Amino acid sequence: MKFLLLITLITTQYVFALVSIAPVEIGDKPGFSSTIEAALETKRGNTDTDSYKASARTTYDSSQSYVTWAEVSGAYGKASGEENTNKLFLHTRYIHAITDKTLRAEAFGQLQNDKFKQINSRALIGGGVRFKLFDLLQNGKGYFGIGAFYENIRYEDELINPSEDNLRLNSYFAYSVDINKNSSIAYTLYYQPKIDRLNDDVQSHEVELKLSVYENVFLKFSLSYDTDSKPPIGVAKYDFTQNTSFIFNF
C-alpha cells in the first residue's frame, strides 16, 4: 500500500485530492485537459509530522454530446512516528446530454480504501440523471442529481465488521459561482441512504474556494464534513477536514 501511494505521489509531483468539486458541464473545456493538485507538509523539532496528499484528473469533453473523466487521489500521513492517514481513491464518470441544456444522464464507478475507516476495499457502480437548476446568482450554475448505485465493502477485520453488499440511493446538490474570470466558490451535498433501510445513510458536505494565483496555477481552500449514521464498529460517525493546496491546470 505504501509503495503504491509513493508511486502515485512521485508520478503526480506531490499532488492532492480531490481536484475540484465544481460541477462539470459539457462544452466547458472541449478536448482533453488535465488537472493536478499539490499539498505537502513536513514538520521537525517540537512537532514531528509528515503529510502527503495527491490528486490528478484527466477529462475529455466532446463539446456537444458528452464529457467523461477519471480521477485518482491518495493521502498518507504520520505524526510522531505513528501513521494517521492512509487512503487511496479512484473515480470515473461519464455524462451524456439528453436535452440541450437541462437534462443529463450519468454513469460512474469508484474504487477506494481507507485504513482509518477500517475499509480494506470499497467498490461501487451506478448511474442516474442530473437536472440543471435555475441560476440563483449571477455567474452561478446549480445542479440536482438523483440515481442509485451498488456497493461492495470489505473491512480490515471481517470478524468484527462483516462484508457488505448494498444498494443505495444517490442524490446530490451542487452549486458554483464564478467570483471573476479565474476564481470561484462551490458547494456540494451528497445524501446516500440504503434503499431498503433509509435510516442507514451517508452524507457529505463540502465547500471550496478556488483563487487564481498566476495563469494556470490556483490556490484552493476547502472544508468537508462527512457523516455515516451506522459506521463500522470502532469508527466515528463523522469526519471533518480542512485543506489548503495548489491546483495546476494544463
Side-chain angles (χ1 to χ4, degrees):
M1 175 58 63
K2 293 181 182 179
F3 175 76
L4 290 175
L5 182 56
L6 181 60
I7 293 297
T8 301
L9 291 171
I10 291 173
T11 56
T12 56
Q13 300 179 355
Y14 293 110
V15 291
F16 172 61
L18 299 166
V19 167
S20 179
I21 64 168
V24 176
E25 183 55 280
I26 298 168
D28 280 350
K29 197 172 183 179
F32 282 101
S33 61
S34 295
T35 303
I36 59 177
E37 186 174 349
L40 167 65
E41 179 183 35
T42 300
K43 293 181 180 180
R44 293 294 183 269
N46 294 316
T47 302
D48 187 1
T49 303
D50 295 289
S51 179
Y52 309 94
K53 300 176 182 179
S55 186
R57 178 190 287 182
T58 297
T59 303
Y60 178 74
D61 184 347
S62 74
S63 81
Q64 292 184 338
S65 59
Y66 71 91
V67 60
T68 185
W69 77 84
E71 182 166 328
V72 61
S73 64
Y76 182 76
K78 283 185 174 182
S80 300
E82 295 293 328
E83 189 178 74
N84 60 14
T85 305
N86 189 335
K87 57 186 176 181
L88 286 172
F89 175 92
L90 173 65
H91 184 88
T92 183
R93 185 171 293 254
Y94 174 83
I95 301 175
H96 192 90
I98 297 177
T99 64
D100 185 32
K101 294 182 179 181
T102 305
L103 186 59
R104 303 285 185 259
E106 296 185 301
F108 53 87
Q110 186 171 301
L111 294 171
Q112 68 184 102
N113 67 9
D114 190 333
K115 181 176 180 180
F116 289 87
K117 287 186 177 180
Q118 300 185 21
I119 298 174
N120 185 55
S121 67
R122 178 177 183 246
L124 66 86
I125 186 168
V129 292
R130 187 184 79 176
F131 304 88
K132 186 174 183 180
L133 303 176
F134 178 77
D135 293 339
L136 302 177
L137 299 173
Q138 187 178 9
N139 300 322
K141 55 182 179 181
Y143 301 89
F144 171 74
I146 187 74
F149 63 86
Y150 161 79
E151 68 174 354
N152 172 266
I153 307 176
R154 296 184 180 275
Y155 295 102
E156 295 281 348
D157 189 339
E158 294 196 359
L159 293 177
I160 298 175
N161 295 298
S163 298
E164 295 184 25
D165 290 281
N166 303 315
L167 287 175
R168 288 187 181 270
L169 174 71
N170 182 53
S171 60
Y172 68 87
F173 169 76
Y175 201 88
S176 68
V177 178
D178 293 332
I179 300 172
N180 54 44
K181 183 178 180 181
N182 295 311
S183 300
S184 63
I185 186 168
Y187 167 75
T188 62
L189 162 65
Y190 277 88
Y191 174 64
Q192 299 170 328
K194 288 184 180 179
I195 290 177
D196 61 345
R197 194 183 306 166
L198 295 178
N199 64 343
D200 186 344
D201 65 78
V202 175
Q203 296 185 39
S204 175
H205 304 260
E206 187 164 0
V207 178
E208 167 191 289
L209 174 63
K210 188 172 71 172
L211 301 174
S212 176
V213 176
Y214 176 74
E215 293 186 349
N216 292 327
V217 180
F218 299 84
L219 183 63
K220 193 185 88 170
F221 304 93
S222 65
L223 297 173
S224 66
Y225 181 74
D226 304 326
T227 65
D228 186 342
S229 66
K230 297 185 183 299
I233 296 172
V235 176
K237 287 189 175 183
Y238 74 93
D239 276 308
F240 173 79
T241 305
Q242 181 276 322
N243 280 302
T244 303
S245 54
F246 284 98
I247 295 177
F248 308 88
N249 293 333
F250 58 95

PDB file of all heavy atoms in Angstrom, residues 1 83 86-87 112-121 153-163 232-233 235:
ATOM      1  N   MET A   1       0.825  -1.199   0.000  1.00  0.00           N
ATOM      2  CA  MET A   1       0.000   0.000   0.000  1.00  0.00           C
ATOM      3  C   MET A   1       0.870   1.265   0.000  1.00  0.00           C
ATOM      4  O   MET A   1       0.652   2.185  -0.754  1.00  0.00           O
ATOM      5  CB  MET A   1      -0.937  -0.002   1.216  1.00  0.00           C
ATOM      6  CG  MET A   1      -1.757   1.278   1.359  1.00  0.00           C
ATOM      7  SD  MET A   1      -2.751   1.615  -0.080  1.00  0.00           S
ATOM      8  CE  MET A   1      -3.805   0.171  -0.044  1.00  0.00           C
ATOM      9  N   GLU A  83       1.495   6.313  12.083  1.00  0.00           N
ATOM     10  CA  GLU A  83       0.669   6.535  10.909  1.00  0.00           C
ATOM     11  C   GLU A  83      -0.721   7.007  11.326  1.00  0.00           C
ATOM     12  O   GLU A  83      -1.340   6.424  12.221  1.00  0.00           O
ATOM     13  CB  GLU A  83       0.565   5.213  10.130  1.00  0.00           C
ATOM     14  CG  GLU A  83      -0.093   5.334   8.778  1.00  0.00           C
ATOM     15  CD  GLU A  83      -0.109   3.997   8.046  1.00  0.00           C
ATOM     16  OE1 GLU A  83      -0.913   3.120   8.449  1.00  0.00           O
ATOM     17  OE2 GLU A  83       0.676   3.836   7.109  1.00  0.00           O
ATOM     18  N   ASN A  86      -4.005   6.965   5.669  1.00  0.00           N
ATOM     19  CA  ASN A  86      -3.563   6.030   4.636  1.00  0.00           C
ATOM     20  C   ASN A  86      -4.783   5.661   3.787  1.00  0.00           C
ATOM     21  O   ASN A  86      -5.598   4.831   4.187  1.00  0.00           O
ATOM     22  CB  ASN A  86      -2.960   4.776   5.268  1.00  0.00           C
ATOM     23  CG  ASN A  86      -2.291   3.874   4.243  1.00  0.00           C
ATOM     24  OD1 ASN A  86      -2.627   3.888   3.074  1.00  0.00           O
ATOM     25  ND2 ASN A  86      -1.346   3.073   4.703  1.00  0.00           N
ATOM     26  N   LYS A  87      -4.936   6.305   2.628  1.00  0.00           N
ATOM     27  CA  LYS A  87      -6.109   6.041   1.801  1.00  0.00           C
ATOM     28  C   LYS A  87      -5.831   6.334   0.331  1.00  0.00           C
ATOM     29  O   LYS A  87      -4.996   7.171  -0.015  1.00  0.00           O
ATOM     30  CB  LYS A  87      -7.314   6.856   2.271  1.00  0.00           C
ATOM     31  CG  LYS A  87      -7.108   8.367   2.306  1.00  0.00           C
ATOM     32  CD  LYS A  87      -8.330   9.053   2.929  1.00  0.00           C
ATOM     33  CE  LYS A  87      -8.121  10.554   3.060  1.00  0.00           C
ATOM     34  NZ  LYS A  87      -9.294  11.217   3.687  1.00  0.00           N
ATOM     35  N   GLN A 112     -11.953   2.418  -3.717  1.00  0.00           N
ATOM     36  CA  GLN A 112     -11.243   3.148  -2.672  1.00  0.00           C
ATOM     37  C   GLN A 112     -10.896   2.241  -1.503  1.00  0.00           C
ATOM     38  O   GLN A 112     -11.454   1.149  -1.365  1.00  0.00           O
ATOM     39  CB  GLN A 112     -12.096   4.318  -2.171  1.00  0.00           C
ATOM     40  CG  GLN A 112     -13.341   3.916  -1.403  1.00  0.00           C
ATOM     41  CD  GLN A 112     -14.205   5.095  -1.019  1.00  0.00           C
ATOM     42  OE1 GLN A 112     -15.222   5.346  -1.663  1.00  0.00           O
ATOM     43  NE2 GLN A 112     -13.823   5.819   0.027  1.00  0.00           N
ATOM     44  N   ASN A 113      -9.961   2.694  -0.687  1.00  0.00           N
ATOM     45  CA  ASN A 113      -9.727   2.099   0.628  1.00  0.00           C
ATOM     46  C   ASN A 113      -9.355   3.205   1.602  1.00  0.00           C
ATOM     47  O   ASN A 113      -8.983   4.314   1.208  1.00  0.00           O
ATOM     48  CB  ASN A 113      -8.679   0.980   0.588  1.00  0.00           C
ATOM     49  CG  ASN A 113      -7.291   1.495   0.264  1.00  0.00           C
ATOM     50  OD1 ASN A 113      -7.041   2.697   0.215  1.00  0.00           O
ATOM     51  ND2 ASN A 113      -6.362   0.588   0.020  1.00  0.00           N
ATOM     52  N   ASP A 114      -9.505   2.925   2.892  1.00  0.00           N
ATOM     53  CA  ASP A 114      -9.210   3.903   3.931  1.00  0.00           C
ATOM     54  C   ASP A 114      -8.915   3.138   5.218  1.00  0.00           C
ATOM     55  O   ASP A 114      -9.828   2.651   5.885  1.00  0.00           O
ATOM     56  CB  ASP A 114     -10.389   4.865   4.118  1.00  0.00           C
ATOM     57  CG  ASP A 114     -10.043   6.045   5.007  1.00  0.00           C
ATOM     58  OD1 ASP A 114      -9.145   5.899   5.872  1.00  0.00           O
ATOM     59  OD2 ASP A 114     -10.673   7.108   4.862  1.00  0.00           O
ATOM     60  N   LYS A 115      -7.638   3.023   5.541  1.00  0.00           N
ATOM     61  CA  LYS A 115      -7.232   2.226   6.698  1.00  0.00           C
ATOM     62  C   LYS A 115      -7.862   2.712   7.985  1.00  0.00           C
ATOM     63  O   LYS A 115      -8.246   1.907   8.844  1.00  0.00           O
ATOM     64  CB  LYS A 115      -5.705   2.253   6.830  1.00  0.00           C
ATOM     65  CG  LYS A 115      -5.157   1.437   7.977  1.00  0.00           C
ATOM     66  CD  LYS A 115      -3.644   1.436   7.987  1.00  0.00           C
ATOM     67  CE  LYS A 115      -3.099   0.618   9.157  1.00  0.00           C
ATOM     68  NZ  LYS A 115      -1.622   0.607   9.165  1.00  0.00           N
ATOM     69  N   PHE A 116      -8.024   4.032   8.149  1.00  0.00           N
ATOM     70  CA  PHE A 116      -8.511   4.566   9.413  1.00  0.00           C
ATOM     71  C   PHE A 116     -10.041   4.638   9.483  1.00  0.00           C
ATOM     72  O   PHE A 116     -10.594   5.063  10.492  1.00  0.00           O
ATOM     73  CB  PHE A 116      -7.844   5.907   9.707  1.00  0.00           C
ATOM     74  CG  PHE A 116      -6.389   5.716  10.057  1.00  0.00           C
ATOM     75  CD1 PHE A 116      -5.423   5.668   9.062  1.00  0.00           C
ATOM     76  CD2 PHE A 116      -5.997   5.503  11.365  1.00  0.00           C
ATOM     77  CE1 PHE A 116      -4.091   5.450   9.378  1.00  0.00           C
ATOM     78  CE2 PHE A 116      -4.672   5.277  11.692  1.00  0.00           C
ATOM     79  CZ  PHE A 116      -3.716   5.247  10.689  1.00  0.00           C
ATOM     80  N   LYS A 117     -10.706   4.213   8.408  1.00  0.00           N
ATOM     81  CA  LYS A 117     -12.133   3.907   8.478  1.00  0.00           C
ATOM     82  C   LYS A 117     -12.344   2.403   8.426  1.00  0.00           C
ATOM     83  O   LYS A 117     -13.455   1.923   8.270  1.00  0.00           O
ATOM     84  CB  LYS A 117     -12.893   4.581   7.336  1.00  0.00           C
ATOM     85  CG  LYS A 117     -13.045   6.086   7.503  1.00  0.00           C
ATOM     86  CD  LYS A 117     -13.943   6.658   6.414  1.00  0.00           C
ATOM     87  CE  LYS A 117     -14.158   8.151   6.617  1.00  0.00           C
ATOM     88  NZ  LYS A 117     -15.034   8.741   5.557  1.00  0.00           N
ATOM     89  N   GLN A 118     -11.211   1.658   8.515  1.00  0.00           N
ATOM     90  CA  GLN A 118     -11.194   0.195   8.510  1.00  0.00           C
ATOM     91  C   GLN A 118     -11.716  -0.396   7.210  1.00  0.00           C
ATOM     92  O   GLN A 118     -12.138  -1.552   7.160  1.00  0.00           O
ATOM     93  CB  GLN A 118     -11.979  -0.359   9.711  1.00  0.00           C
ATOM     94  CG  GLN A 118     -11.416   0.073  11.051  1.00  0.00           C
ATOM     95  CD  GLN A 118     -12.108  -0.564  12.240  1.00  0.00           C
ATOM     96  OE1 GLN A 118     -12.739  -1.604  12.109  1.00  0.00           O
ATOM     97  NE2 GLN A 118     -11.990   0.060  13.398  1.00  0.00           N
ATOM     98  N   ILE A 119     -11.668   0.371   6.111  1.00  0.00           N
ATOM     99  CA  ILE A 119     -12.130  -0.107   4.815  1.00  0.00           C
ATOM    100  C   ILE A 119     -10.948  -0.682   4.036  1.00  0.00           C
ATOM    101  O   ILE A 119     -10.043   0.058   3.631  1.00  0.00           O
ATOM    102  CB  ILE A 119     -12.803   1.017   4.010  1.00  0.00           C
ATOM    103  CG1 ILE A 119     -14.045   1.530   4.747  1.00  0.00           C
ATOM    104  CG2 ILE A 119     -13.178   0.532   2.619  1.00  0.00           C
ATOM    105  CD1 ILE A 119     -14.680   2.746   4.092  1.00  0.00           C
ATOM    106  N   ASN A 120     -10.952  -1.992   3.844  1.00  0.00           N
ATOM    107  CA  ASN A 120      -9.925  -2.624   3.029  1.00  0.00           C
ATOM    108  C   ASN A 120     -10.166  -2.352   1.553  1.00  0.00           C
ATOM    109  O   ASN A 120      -9.242  -2.089   0.787  1.00  0.00           O
ATOM    110  CB  ASN A 120      -9.894  -4.130   3.291  1.00  0.00           C
ATOM    111  CG  ASN A 120      -8.762  -4.814   2.568  1.00  0.00           C
ATOM    112  OD1 ASN A 120      -7.606  -4.452   2.712  1.00  0.00           O
ATOM    113  ND2 ASN A 120      -9.093  -5.806   1.761  1.00  0.00           N
ATOM    114  N   SER A 121     -11.439  -2.408   1.125  1.00  0.00           N
ATOM    115  CA  SER A 121     -11.796  -2.042  -0.244  1.00  0.00           C
ATOM    116  C   SER A 121     -13.277  -1.695  -0.302  1.00  0.00           C
ATOM    117  O   SER A 121     -14.096  -2.305   0.384  1.00  0.00           O
ATOM    118  CB  SER A 121     -11.491  -3.180  -1.228  1.00  0.00           C
ATOM    119  OG  SER A 121     -12.329  -4.286  -0.997  1.00  0.00           O
ATOM    120  N   ILE A 153     -18.395  -3.553   0.168  1.00  0.00           N
ATOM    121  CA  ILE A 153     -17.402  -3.063   1.129  1.00  0.00           C
ATOM    122  C   ILE A 153     -16.792  -4.247   1.863  1.00  0.00           C
ATOM    123  O   ILE A 153     -17.509  -5.097   2.402  1.00  0.00           O
ATOM    124  CB  ILE A 153     -18.025  -2.100   2.157  1.00  0.00           C
ATOM    125  CG1 ILE A 153     -18.782  -0.968   1.464  1.00  0.00           C
ATOM    126  CG2 ILE A 153     -16.947  -1.520   3.066  1.00  0.00           C
ATOM    127  CD1 ILE A 153     -19.508  -0.043   2.419  1.00  0.00           C
ATOM    128  N   ARG A 154     -15.473  -4.301   1.878  1.00  0.00           N
ATOM    129  CA  ARG A 154     -14.745  -5.297   2.654  1.00  0.00           C
ATOM    130  C   ARG A 154     -13.900  -4.564   3.691  1.00  0.00           C
ATOM    131  O   ARG A 154     -13.120  -3.673   3.337  1.00  0.00           O
ATOM    132  CB  ARG A 154     -13.864  -6.172   1.754  1.00  0.00           C
ATOM    133  CG  ARG A 154     -14.680  -7.008   0.768  1.00  0.00           C
ATOM    134  CD  ARG A 154     -13.799  -7.941  -0.048  1.00  0.00           C
ATOM    135  NE  ARG A 154     -14.594  -8.735  -0.978  1.00  0.00           N
ATOM    136  CZ  ARG A 154     -15.194  -9.869  -0.660  1.00  0.00           C
ATOM    137  NH1 ARG A 154     -15.063 -10.358   0.575  1.00  0.00           N
ATOM    138  NH2 ARG A 154     -15.896 -10.536  -1.546  1.00  0.00           N
ATOM    139  N   TYR A 155     -14.060  -4.951   4.949  1.00  0.00           N
ATOM    140  CA  TYR A 155     -13.384  -4.265   6.040  1.00  0.00           C
ATOM    141  C   TYR A 155     -12.080  -4.956   6.421  1.00  0.00           C
ATOM    142  O   TYR A 155     -11.831  -6.114   6.041  1.00  0.00           O
ATOM    143  CB  TYR A 155     -14.315  -4.170   7.251  1.00  0.00           C
ATOM    144  CG  TYR A 155     -15.530  -3.299   6.994  1.00  0.00           C
ATOM    145  CD1 TYR A 155     -16.778  -3.866   6.721  1.00  0.00           C
ATOM    146  CD2 TYR A 155     -15.428  -1.917   6.995  1.00  0.00           C
ATOM    147  CE1 TYR A 155     -17.890  -3.074   6.480  1.00  0.00           C
ATOM    148  CE2 TYR A 155     -16.528  -1.121   6.753  1.00  0.00           C
ATOM    149  CZ  TYR A 155     -17.759  -1.699   6.489  1.00  0.00           C
ATOM    150  OH  TYR A 155     -18.845  -0.913   6.235  1.00  0.00           O
ATOM    151  N   GLU A 156     -11.241  -4.235   7.176  1.00  0.00           N
ATOM    152  CA  GLU A 156      -9.941  -4.762   7.585  1.00  0.00           C
ATOM    153  C   GLU A 156     -10.078  -6.040   8.403  1.00  0.00           C
ATOM    154  O   GLU A 156      -9.315  -6.981   8.238  1.00  0.00           O
ATOM    155  CB  GLU A 156      -9.178  -3.699   8.403  1.00  0.00           C
ATOM    156  CG  GLU A 156      -8.804  -2.444   7.626  1.00  0.00           C
ATOM    157  CD  GLU A 156      -7.592  -2.641   6.740  1.00  0.00           C
ATOM    158  OE1 GLU A 156      -6.907  -3.660   6.901  1.00  0.00           O
ATOM    159  OE2 GLU A 156      -7.334  -1.773   5.890  1.00  0.00           O
ATOM    160  N   ASP A 157     -11.044  -6.080   9.326  1.00  0.00           N
ATOM    161  CA  ASP A 157     -11.276  -7.259  10.156  1.00  0.00           C
ATOM    162  C   ASP A 157     -12.723  -7.697   9.973  1.00  0.00           C
ATOM    163  O   ASP A 157     -13.635  -7.141  10.571  1.00  0.00           O
ATOM    164  CB  ASP A 157     -11.003  -6.932  11.631  1.00  0.00           C
ATOM    165  CG  ASP A 157     -11.013  -8.173  12.519  1.00  0.00           C
ATOM    166  OD1 ASP A 157     -11.607  -9.192  12.111  1.00  0.00           O
ATOM    167  OD2 ASP A 157     -10.434  -8.124  13.632  1.00  0.00           O
ATOM    168  N   GLU A 158     -12.931  -8.717   9.139  1.00  0.00           N
ATOM    169  CA  GLU A 158     -14.292  -9.137   8.816  1.00  0.00           C
ATOM    170  C   GLU A 158     -14.957  -9.911   9.949  1.00  0.00           C
ATOM    171  O   GLU A 158     -16.171 -10.142   9.903  1.00  0.00           O
ATOM    172  CB  GLU A 158     -14.287  -9.952   7.524  1.00  0.00           C
ATOM    173  CG  GLU A 158     -13.897  -9.111   6.309  1.00  0.00           C
ATOM    174  CD  GLU A 158     -14.260  -9.776   5.008  1.00  0.00           C
ATOM    175  OE1 GLU A 158     -14.790 -10.899   5.027  1.00  0.00           O
ATOM    176  OE2 GLU A 158     -14.015  -9.153   3.960  1.00  0.00           O
ATOM    177  N   LEU A 159     -14.195 -10.311  10.954  1.00  0.00           N
ATOM    178  CA  LEU A 159     -14.811 -10.933  12.124  1.00  0.00           C
ATOM    179  C   LEU A 159     -15.565  -9.899  12.957  1.00  0.00           C
ATOM    180  O   LEU A 159     -16.576 -10.213  13.594  1.00  0.00           O
ATOM    181  CB  LEU A 159     -13.748 -11.622  12.978  1.00  0.00           C
ATOM    182  CG  LEU A 159     -13.057 -12.836  12.347  1.00  0.00           C
ATOM    183  CD1 LEU A 159     -11.976 -13.371  13.288  1.00  0.00           C
ATOM    184  CD2 LEU A 159     -14.066 -13.926  12.013  1.00  0.00           C
ATOM    185  N   ILE A 160     -15.066  -8.669  12.947  1.00  0.00           N
ATOM    186  CA  ILE A 160     -15.723  -7.573  13.673  1.00  0.00           C
ATOM    187  C   ILE A 160     -16.747  -6.877  12.794  1.00  0.00           C
ATOM    188  O   ILE A 160     -17.877  -6.604  13.216  1.00  0.00           O
ATOM    189  CB  ILE A 160     -14.668  -6.563  14.182  1.00  0.00           C
ATOM    190  CG1 ILE A 160     -13.710  -7.246  15.168  1.00  0.00           C
ATOM    191  CG2 ILE A 160     -15.351  -5.369  14.847  1.00  0.00           C
ATOM    192  CD1 ILE A 160     -12.582  -6.363  15.624  1.00  0.00           C
ATOM    193  N   ASN A 161     -16.358  -6.592  11.549  1.00  0.00           N
ATOM    194  CA  ASN A 161     -17.242  -5.909  10.600  1.00  0.00           C
ATOM    195  C   ASN A 161     -17.354  -6.747   9.330  1.00  0.00           C
ATOM    196  O   ASN A 161     -16.475  -6.685   8.456  1.00  0.00           O
ATOM    197  CB  ASN A 161     -16.687  -4.518  10.255  1.00  0.00           C
ATOM    198  CG  ASN A 161     -16.672  -3.582  11.443  1.00  0.00           C
ATOM    199  OD1 ASN A 161     -17.712  -3.256  11.995  1.00  0.00           O
ATOM    200  ND2 ASN A 161     -15.479  -3.155  11.850  1.00  0.00           N
ATOM    201  N   PRO A 162     -18.401  -7.558   9.207  1.00  0.00           N
ATOM    202  CA  PRO A 162     -18.577  -8.403   8.016  1.00  0.00           C
ATOM    203  C   PRO A 162     -18.701  -7.572   6.744  1.00  0.00           C
ATOM    204  O   PRO A 162     -19.086  -6.398   6.770  1.00  0.00           O
ATOM    205  CB  PRO A 162     -19.879  -9.156   8.305  1.00  0.00           C
ATOM    206  CG  PRO A 162     -20.057  -9.067   9.787  1.00  0.00           C
ATOM    207  CD  PRO A 162     -19.467  -7.750  10.193  1.00  0.00           C
ATOM    208  N   SER A 163     -18.370  -8.184   5.618  1.00  0.00           N
ATOM    209  CA  SER A 163     -18.502  -7.520   4.317  1.00  0.00           C
ATOM    210  C   SER A 163     -19.950  -7.078   4.080  1.00  0.00           C
ATOM    211  O   SER A 163     -20.888  -7.689   4.597  1.00  0.00           O
ATOM    212  CB  SER A 163     -18.066  -8.457   3.193  1.00  0.00           C
ATOM    213  OG  SER A 163     -16.711  -8.818   3.336  1.00  0.00           O
ATOM    214  N   PRO A 232     -18.949   1.346  10.674  1.00  0.00           N
ATOM    215  CA  PRO A 232     -18.456   0.081  11.210  1.00  0.00           C
ATOM    216  C   PRO A 232     -17.999   0.251  12.656  1.00  0.00           C
ATOM    217  O   PRO A 232     -17.685   1.364  13.110  1.00  0.00           O
ATOM    218  CB  PRO A 232     -17.278  -0.261  10.284  1.00  0.00           C
ATOM    219  CG  PRO A 232     -16.925   1.014   9.611  1.00  0.00           C
ATOM    220  CD  PRO A 232     -18.177   1.801   9.512  1.00  0.00           C
ATOM    221  N   ILE A 233     -17.959  -0.846  13.385  1.00  0.00           N
ATOM    222  CA  ILE A 233     -17.545  -0.827  14.794  1.00  0.00           C
ATOM    223  C   ILE A 233     -16.128  -0.264  14.911  1.00  0.00           C
ATOM    224  O   ILE A 233     -15.219  -0.656  14.178  1.00  0.00           O
ATOM    225  CB  ILE A 233     -17.611  -2.236  15.389  1.00  0.00           C
ATOM    226  CG1 ILE A 233     -19.064  -2.726  15.403  1.00  0.00           C
ATOM    227  CG2 ILE A 233     -17.040  -2.266  16.810  1.00  0.00           C
ATOM    228  CD1 ILE A 233     -19.214  -4.182  15.785  1.00  0.00           C
ATOM    229  N   VAL A 235     -15.343   2.982  14.409  1.00  0.00           N
ATOM    230  CA  VAL A 235     -15.163   4.141  13.537  1.00  0.00           C
ATOM    231  C   VAL A 235     -16.151   5.231  13.950  1.00  0.00           C
ATOM    232  O   VAL A 235     -17.331   4.955  14.207  1.00  0.00           O
ATOM    233  CB  VAL A 235     -15.388   3.761  12.056  1.00  0.00           C
ATOM    234  CG1 VAL A 235     -15.308   4.988  11.160  1.00  0.00           C
ATOM    235  CG2 VAL A 235     -14.355   2.720  11.625  1.00  0.00           C
TER     236      VAL A 235
END
